[in-house]
Amino acid sequence: MKKPNPFTTKSRSSDLRELQASRADLLVIGGGITGAGIALDAASRGLRTVLLEKGDFASGTSSKSTKLIHGGLRYLKQFDFWLVKEVGSERAIVHKLAPHLVLPEKMLLPLIEGGSYGKWLTSIGLKVYDILAQVGGDDKRKMLEKKQALKKEPLLPKKKLKGAGYYAEYRTDDARLTLEIIKSSLEFGTKALNYMRVDDFLYEEGRVDGVVAEDLLGGGKMEVRADHIINAAGPWVDELRGVNRSRQGKRLHLTKGVHLVFPHEKLPVRQSVYFDVPDGRMIFAIPRGKVTYVGTTDTNFNGDKDDVRTDLADAIYLISAVNNMFPSIELEMADIESSWAGLRPLIHEEGKSASELSRKDEIFTSESGLISMAGGKLTGYRKMAERAVNRVAHRLEEAGKELGPCRTEKLPLCGNGFKNSKAVREYIDQIARRLKPHRLDRHVAWQLVTTYGDQTETILSDFEASEGKDPRWRLMQAELQFGVAYEMVQSPMDFFIRRTGRLYFDIDSVREYLEEAVAECARLLGADARKAEAWKETLEREIHLHSTFSLEPV
């Protein structure tokens, strides 16, 4: 197993000095999935690349999605065949790049009396979906009769059920995928820094020539020069276009998506279900380890982009949708373990509702040369990046320089030491055997491998060398040490939310080990007691905002 490259505060300090002393070929603003993909594509083609993110990596939209690498079946209803074809084809590619992170997931589409999908049209639609997405083998769609559908999922409504479509999707951890793409780009020389806010642009003869950025961890303001700049700031794209005085023509339309997390025993679906809501929308119910999460909503958003929350109306809507589809399930507000809310940066189209807006990406180029990319989907990140970097390649060609083609289809991501899904399952079994003497079950092995891939070895070596009575804390401590050394963790929030997803999927463990984790983070990062106390207060507030007690109208 190849040991990961150090990616820590120590390397950050030297990177900051280098940024001010040298000039980049390309500066990427935004450390979400789009910016990460652009950085890897550009760096792997030979461009000296810098990525700056104003918060933590993936702290915006890219940690708040439905966490599916999916082909966008619903876009067939909008006759958006191009989008279905592209993202459908990309699913298989991204799965090969990271089979430990992009996991095969069978999806059940119930056909309900009076529902959005009829049997005949669903059969044709799924067939078209298979063709467009180039689905083969066991992943091809199947149409199930009522009896077969109930065998797959006994919770479905017997009276209204007419049958089901059964097809393949892939589940992922969006924040982990983003991070592993960034870490992979480091191998090609990318300098990536979180908590670096871009405040202004620098110009040379009317062309963007760099940025003024502030180190939000206390390093002050600095100038970073680059020949080309791509604005991939997600929901904040238009703000930066405004700073560049180029916010004209098409603009962003932000919509909010909310997900709720329940204990699996409260919503014990056997596989993912994509089901009707009476208002015509569709909702996912997705089992993940010991929980099931449900989403998403799709409502217009005009509030504070840095403070997006689940409110009471969101929660009631999703609970009602679940209870309506599964008659034996009676979810209540008190059953919610956690939640998350995020924004989709879509392209505005006059007269269209939030759910009708296209998920296509678009590129805007200002007169000063700023390239801005907006819209798009998690699944299509690689092709989006290719299109953006091709804009830079075209400029270089005009200047008599040549940049090679996109290579990312063949570049395995960090943590991928596996040939296929079978190898991932075998590795989980191997890790489970190693953990058994420590009284840790197979679910823990599954969590480790589907989070870190073969980087699990580095974590387990620290875990097995540690001492203490509580193996759960010792393992968390080893993960935290790994996060600080190899994943640029700057606070307990980075670790619990983006690096591990525990705040969403295992919130009780965050409560249980909050004080120990804060103290360990302070030790590893050299933080004083005042900083540690501030972290503790912030983490307690995050727990409150994501749990049932935060579900108040905002």
Side-chain angles (χ1 to χ4, degrees), residues 403-450:
L403 193 65
C406 176
R407 302 172 51 200
T408 54
E409 182 177 349
K410 304 292 185 183
L411 295 177
L413 299 182
C414 275
N416 177 11
F418 312 101
K419 289 183 179 179
N420 49 38
S421 295
K422 181 182 177 185
V424 175
R425 291 192 296 270
E426 289 172 350
Y427 186 58
I428 292 172
D429 291 339
Q430 176 190 327
I431 298 301
R433 288 192 292 272
R434 283 176 66 178
L435 292 176
K436 192 172 182 180
H438 299 281
R439 306 187 309 281
L440 295 171
D441 60 21
R442 191 179 188 280
H443 175 69
V444 176
W446 175 85
Q447 279 184 312
L448 284 171
V449 175
T450 58

Side-chain angles (χ1 to χ4, degrees), residues 160-211:
K160 295 189 295 181
L161 186 67
K162 298 165 70 177
Y166 196 58
Y167 63 106
E169 295 287 20
Y170 293 90
R171 183 164 50 77
T172 194
D173 181 321
D174 47 5
R176 287 300 313 179
L177 182 63
T178 301
L179 183 71
E180 300 299 8
I181 294 168
I182 291 173
K183 287 164 60 181
S184 298
S185 78
L186 302 181
E187 297 179 15
F188 297 95
T190 294
K191 303 296 182 188
L193 293 104
N194 50 2
Y195 299 101
M196 286 288 291
R197 187 184 65 215
V198 171
D199 291 331
D200 206 351
F201 292 96
L202 301 169
Y203 300 86
E204 187 69 34
E205 297 182 352
R207 304 286 291 177
V208 285
D209 189 62
V211 300

Side-chain angles (χ1 to χ4, degrees), residues 118-176:
K119 189 173 184 179
W120 184 73
L121 284 176
T122 298
S123 180
I124 293 175
L126 287 175
K127 181 68 175 178
V128 172
Y129 183 68
D130 280 355
I131 293 169
L132 290 174
Q134 300 172 33
V135 177
D138 291 339
D139 282 348
K140 284 188 176 179
R141 71 94 168 93
K142 297 175 184 175
M143 295 305 297
L144 307 179
E145 297 297 330
K146 177 176 180 175
K147 189 174 181 181
Q148 293 172 305
L150 285 169
K151 189 173 182 180
K152 292 280 186 191
E153 186 48 77
L155 295 178
L156 291 172
K158 295 179 178 63
K159 290 182 179 179
K160 295 189 295 181
L161 186 67
K162 298 165 70 177
Y166 196 58
Y167 63 106
E169 295 287 20
Y170 293 90
R171 183 164 50 77
T172 194
D173 181 321
D174 47 5
R176 287 300 313 179

